[in-house]
Amino acid sequence: VGGGGGTGDLPIGIFESEVVLVGETPTPRFARLGYKVDSIESERIAVDHVAHILPSGESSSASAFSQHLNGMHTAINMLTERIEIISRYVAAVQAGTVPFDHALLRQVKALCARLPALDSDAFRAEFVQDHNNSLLVTQLAVITQGAALTNELIDKFNVAYDRHSRRRGIF
């Protein structure tokens, strides 16, 4: 392990053993290899989520929910930062302060083409459907929680007012 020999952000170096001829003697040596850390945003978010699991392996629903919200907040912040960088680059290219990089501009155009059109009827219909689904899931969760609390209350009532428990002193 060496210091920062690859193209990624990790401070490591990867070496490969090879045998070379020095004079007429085969000599083993290590040759540094280049590497590239390739990951997508969803992988980073998943790793971050696993890193925040409590040591006991358990998590309360409140802490899991806050961790989920924190993860979403972090992802949105990262997306915002990256969009601002791209926007500043395109503005600088338009102003002529940065030279044209056609390959990079093609990548920006391809990225923009992959984004859904926010003003289309199909997007609005899908958004309303997703919103309704999330409201339905929330309503079902509240109904389930209410049913569980009602069941717990009935169990406590049965323990407190059970007829068999009143006859203990008679027999």
Side-chain angles (χ1 to χ4, degrees):
V1 176
T7 59
D9 294 330
L10 299 176
I12 62 172
I14 300 175
F15 296 90
E16 176 182 39
S17 65
E18 61 182 21
V19 178
V20 295
L21 291 175
V22 176
E24 297 219 3
T25 308
T27 306
R29 70 172 191 164
F30 291 103
R32 183 181 291 269
L33 293 176
Y35 66 91
K36 178 181 177 187
V37 176
D38 188 20
S39 65
I40 56 175
E41 196 64 33
S42 59
E43 290 173 340
R44 288 188 215 132
I45 291 171
V47 168
D48 185 53
H49 176 70
V50 169
H52 287 96
I53 291 178
L54 297 176
S56 63
E58 300 175 0
S59 63
S60 67
S61 61
S63 67
F65 181 67
S66 68
Q67 286 179 0
H68 173 70
L69 288 180
N70 285 337
M72 295 295 284
H73 179 66
T74 303
I76 290 170
N77 283 341
M78 290 173 64
L79 178 64
T80 303
E81 289 173 8
R82 291 175 181 180
I83 289 172
E84 287 175 1
I85 290 170
I86 292 171
S87 177
R88 283 186 294 201
Y89 172 75
V90 171
V93 167
Q94 285 177 340
T97 58
V98 175
F100 277 88
D101 182 355
H102 294 285
L104 186 57
L105 289 174
R106 279 191 295 272
Q107 288 179 351
V108 169
K109 176 151 176 51
L111 178 64
C112 291
R114 287 176 39 192
L115 297 174
L118 298 179
D119 294 332
S120 69
D121 290 333
F123 176 78
R124 276 191 229 107
E126 186 175 341
F127 178 77
V128 168
Q129 181 67 35
D130 286 345
H131 185 259
N132 289 340
N133 287 344
S134 64
L135 290 176
L136 182 61
V137 167
T138 303
Q139 184 179 11
L140 289 174
V142 169
I143 290 171
T144 302
Q145 187 178 20
L149 290 173
T150 304
N151 189 33
E152 184 178 334
L153 178 67
I154 290 170
D155 288 344
K156 287 179 181 179
F157 182 82
N158 287 336
V159 168
Y161 295 103
D162 189 18
R163 291 183 185 167
H164 298 292
S165 63
R166 292 185 184 183
R167 292 188 215 165
R168 282 186 285 177
I170 298 174
F171 297 112

